[in-house]
Amino acid sequence: MEKRYDVLIVGSGVGGLYTALSLPESLSVLVLSKKSDTLSNSNLAQGGVAAVLSFENDSFDLHINDTLIAGGQANDLDAVTVLVHEGPDEVRKIMEYGVDFDKNPDGSIQKTLEGGHSRRRIVHHKDTTGAEIVKKLLEELHRRKNITQRSNALVYNLEKVKSGFRADILLDGATPVSVFADYCVLATGGIGRAYKYTTNPSVATGDGIRLAYELGASIKNLSYVQFHPTAFNGPNREQFLISEAVRGEGAYLLNCNRERFMQRYDKRLELAPRDVVSRAIILESRKTGSNNFYLDITHRDKEYLINRFPGIYAGCLEQGIDITKDLIPIFPCQHYLMGGIDVSLESRTSVSRLYAVGECSHTGVHGKNRLASNSLLEALVFGRRAAEDIAKCVNAGFAHVAVSDKELDISGAPLPKGIRTEIRSMLQRSYFVIPDIDSARTSLKQVDRILRRLHSGKFAITPDYCEALSLATVAHIILKEVDER
Ligand SMILES: Cc1cc2nc3c(=O)[nH]c(=O)nc-3n(C[C@H](O)[C@H](O)[C@H](O)COP(=O)(O)OP(=O)(O)OC[C@H]3O[C@@H](n4cnc5c(N)ncnc54)[C@H](O)[C@@H]3O)c2cc1C
């Protein structure tokens, strides 16, 4: 790693990788991953990417309309229009990078259906679409001489210095270093780990949102949290997702009496948008007094299921469930964040030269509830837009960052145990599918006490401390928004 780069990208999910690949090769770029380069929400994406690739039975207007309906019409129409109109070209671009979407026997790309989509428009690589995209983007990244990628590099502090940024990084969990960059792109993904149960991996602690907040960037709609209705109902914190595509391919939702119940809540039945289905499950659980819910796809052909959903088949088998003959136990859990660091259509934050892309950003495309398979698309479209905007600024001759080193001291007291667990329990209790406003107010006071303690105690800078600070900051912003509604 050098001391100075033109562009620093924090995160190696689809947002960070695609931004890096879209920058001119004349720029020096550093891409950092907190842990391994493939531990990310992107790598877990199952369903696919939504895009209108042909107009035979679909149109941009239909995709826009589906996005607005799912988002409760709280979306930014300009951003949605950009997403839908520019998305198909990004999908074609990643195919040039080698991404292999499933094909029909005649060679055309297969398209699947998910909740809230009025047409089959989701392209996929079996049920491991994200891993396929990340793999091919990383391969392309490693071919680029201008890009350096470093894993196990946690950015714990970001400061504005003359004409750019200084990022303080913990390498391998223990060694502090600083790098300087003219531009910084935050692509740090979601906040799932602020909840007791989530589909997100361990890196999803909202670090980028905290770093932007500390720099004074505007954060918007952080309380727009998405709960996926059908995560595998197991004992682990990280819940295995049963993609919406399973319902798209005909799975029924059943209550504890093994009865379909969605007809009581929405005429779109199992294919209603995620927030509607999650809410229906919680209301139904109150009615039946049971948290036992199931997906039933046993009526589909066994070979078809194993071939179409190999990841879900294998993942469920590990838990003792054979999806070709057993009901799959499911329950809602935290899945995605619609709000985030507020950005313009060029992915600019309110802080000069600071950009945000992907799940940590708020472009406004998702409104109150993301339409399935629109987020990888958002990371691609707005990642490329960030790169283009940075290239424009560079061409306009913006000044270079001044490199001025400072001694980094990461020593201090060890973090007391239990802080992260306390935050997770608070959000799970007070701000799940149907919020409990009184409990949210109490939790806000509790989280503010934790934040004060984290800021005022002289704690050692460790990954645990940094993540606790991020989780507390994120919980504070969410609960404050709820309190002010
Ligand atoms: C199980 C699952 C299934 C999904 N399925 C789909 C789907 O089918 N279609 C769809 O469109 N969307 C899907 N999503 C959502 C989608 O995957 C994500 O929204 C999207 O991939 C986010 O990409 P990203 O680049 O913003 O963040 P991520 O892919 O989460 O990447 C975040 C990166 O930031 C790094 N990072 C974080 N903090 C720091 C730090 N402090 N220092 C250094 N690096 C840091 C991490 O190491 C990681 O590399 C799914 C999500 C999950 C969890």
Side-chain angles (χ1 to χ4, degrees):
M1 243 165 49
E2 304 291 328
K3 199 84 214 146
R4 187 208 158 270
Y5 291 86
D6 294 321
V7 186
L8 166 66
I9 299 179
V10 190
S12 63
V14 166
L17 294 174
Y18 198 65
T19 305
L21 293 173
S22 305
L23 284 163
E25 293 189 42
S26 55
L27 298 181
S28 59
V29 181
L30 176 63
V31 177
L32 298 177
S33 324
K34 181 154 66 170
K35 293 185 179 164
S36 92
D37 53 1
T38 54
L39 189 68
S40 61
N41 281 358
S42 296
N43 207 54
L44 292 180
Q46 297 177 341
V49 188
V52 180
L53 290 173
S54 79
F55 297 106
E56 262 165 59
N57 184 32
D58 203 354
S59 71
F60 288 150
D61 284 348
L62 282 171
H63 189 182
I64 290 173
N65 203 36
D66 292 344
T67 303
L68 298 178
I69 291 172
Q73 309 288 338
N75 323 55
D76 178 322
L77 184 56
D78 290 341
V80 177
T81 306
V82 163
L83 176 86
V84 168
H85 283 247
E86 297 183 4
D89 278 347
E90 314 306 344
V91 172
R92 292 184 192 104
K93 184 78 201 171
I94 59 172
M95 287 167 71
E96 283 173 28
Y97 290 146
V99 173
D100 179 24
F101 291 116
D102 290 349
K103 310 273 183 335
N104 293 310
D106 67 0
S108 58
I109 299 180
Q110 256 179 38
K111 292 168 196 152
T112 193
L113 192 63
E114 293 188 83
H117 286 275
S118 59
R119 294 290 186 277
R120 282 187 170 263
R121 63 167 75 97
I122 295 144
V123 295
H124 52 85
H125 176 90
K126 302 200 181 287
D127 60 357
T128 50
T129 309
E132 165 70 6
I133 300 177
V134 168
K135 178 169 179 263
K136 298 296 163 58
L137 295 185
L138 272 172
E139 282 171 10
E140 181 64 24
L141 196 91
H142 295 315
R143 283 193 278 271
R144 299 282 178 94
K145 294 203 167 46
N146 64 313
I147 305 176
T148 306
Q149 189 271 328
R150 175 64 154 92
S151 299
N152 296 312
L154 183 156
V155 176
Y156 66 89
N157 182 41
L158 190 62
E159 265 175 45
K160 207 67 188 117
V161 291
K162 198 155 175 250
S163 304
F165 297 91
R166 193 192 76 234
D168 299 332
I169 304 166
L170 263 189
L171 292 179
D172 307 313
T175 311
V177 295
S178 297
V179 297
F180 294 80
D182 298 347
Y183 299 86
C184 178
V185 182
L186 295 170
T188 51
I191 58 145
R193 291 299 173 129
Y195 276 82
K196 206 164 165 186
Y197 301 108
T198 176
T199 58
N200 293 188
S202 61
V203 291
T205 52
D207 296 0
I209 294 168
R210 193 246 308 163
L211 295 170
Y213 182 73
E214 287 173 352
L215 276 173
S218 156
I219 311 289
K220 199 162 173 194
N221 294 338
L222 214 64
S223 58
Y224 290 179
V225 179
Q226 181 168 75
F227 303 98
H228 199 292
T230 60
F232 191 95
N233 192 359
N236 302 333
R237 169 161 310 133
E238 188 173 328
Q239 303 271 298
F240 178 63
L241 185 72
I242 311 298
S243 164
E244 209 150 6
V246 178
R247 276 175 287 138
E249 299 301 342
Y252 303 129
L253 258 177
L254 308 179
N255 64 14
C256 60
N257 304 317
R258 317 290 205 260
E259 293 162 352
R260 287 179 78 184
F261 60 91
M262 278 307 297
Q263 70 283 359
R264 286 199 275 281
Y265 299 95
D266 196 282
K267 63 177 185 318
R268 291 163 290 185
L269 305 174
E270 278 84 354
L271 287 178
R274 290 173 183 179
D275 57 337
V276 176
V277 181
S278 291
R279 203 180 153 81
I281 291 176
I282 299 299
L283 292 174
E284 185 72 9
S285 77
R286 288 180 184 171
K287 206 170 184 173
T288 58
S290 166
N291 282 351
N292 293 335
F293 288 84
Y294 305 93
L295 271 177
D296 181 4
I297 188 79
T298 54
H299 48 282
R300 297 289 316 248
D301 174 68
K302 178 176 176 179
E303 291 314 310
Y304 166 78
L305 286 178
I306 295 174
N307 186 46
R308 173 68 182 86
F309 299 114
I312 292 172
Y313 175 72
C316 287
L317 218 48
E318 270 174 34
Q319 310 286 331
I321 299 291
D322 178 346
I323 66 168
T324 67
K325 42 182 206 244
D326 300 326
L327 300 184
I328 312 169
I330 56 90
F331 201 68
C333 75
Q334 194 287 343
H335 180 59
Y336 183 77
L337 176 68
M338 276 75 64
I341 308 160
D342 199 28
V343 293
S344 68
L345 290 179
E346 294 78 31
S347 308
R348 287 183 184 196
T349 71
S350 58
V351 173
S352 165
R353 295 177 175 229
L354 181 68
Y355 293 73
V357 301
E359 194 167 336
C360 71
S361 71
H362 171 271
T363 59
V365 295
H366 305 303
K368 287 188 176 163
N369 174 56
R370 167 172 72 93
L371 181 67
S373 287
N374 263 356
S375 54
L376 289 171
L377 192 70
E378 180 195 36
L380 294 170
V381 169
F382 289 91
R384 193 252 311 143
R385 284 185 151 246
E388 282 177 1
D389 196 65
I390 291 170
K392 239 187 259 165
C393 297
V394 171
N395 287 337
F398 279 24
H400 289 307
V401 65
V403 177
S404 59
D405 247 341
K406 112 175 184 198
E407 193 74 15
L408 295 173
D409 177 15
I410 59 166
S411 64
L415 185 73
K417 287 210 180 326
I419 289 187
R420 300 204 294 185
T421 309
E422 198 180 337
I423 297 168
R424 286 180 187 126
S425 305
M426 258 187 283
L427 277 185
Q428 188 75 36
R429 189 177 56 240
S430 57
Y431 197 64
F432 191 44
V433 176
I434 301 177
D436 176 341
I437 302 300
D438 288 339
S439 168
R441 294 208 167 107
T442 312
S443 297
L444 177 60
K445 289 187 191 129
Q446 199 177 338
V447 86
D448 285 353
R449 273 197 300 273
I450 293 175
L451 255 185
R452 278 196 297 276
R453 187 170 170 210
L454 288 173
H455 280 300
S456 59
K458 171 81 177 86
F459 293 112
I461 307 282
T462 61
D464 273 357
Y465 171 74
C466 299
E467 292 189 348
L469 194 56
S470 299
L471 294 180
T473 306
V474 161
H476 162 82
I477 305 172
I478 291 176
L479 294 169
K480 194 147 185 293
E481 254 182 50
V482 176
D483 185 47
E484 285 168 358
R485 256 188 219 153

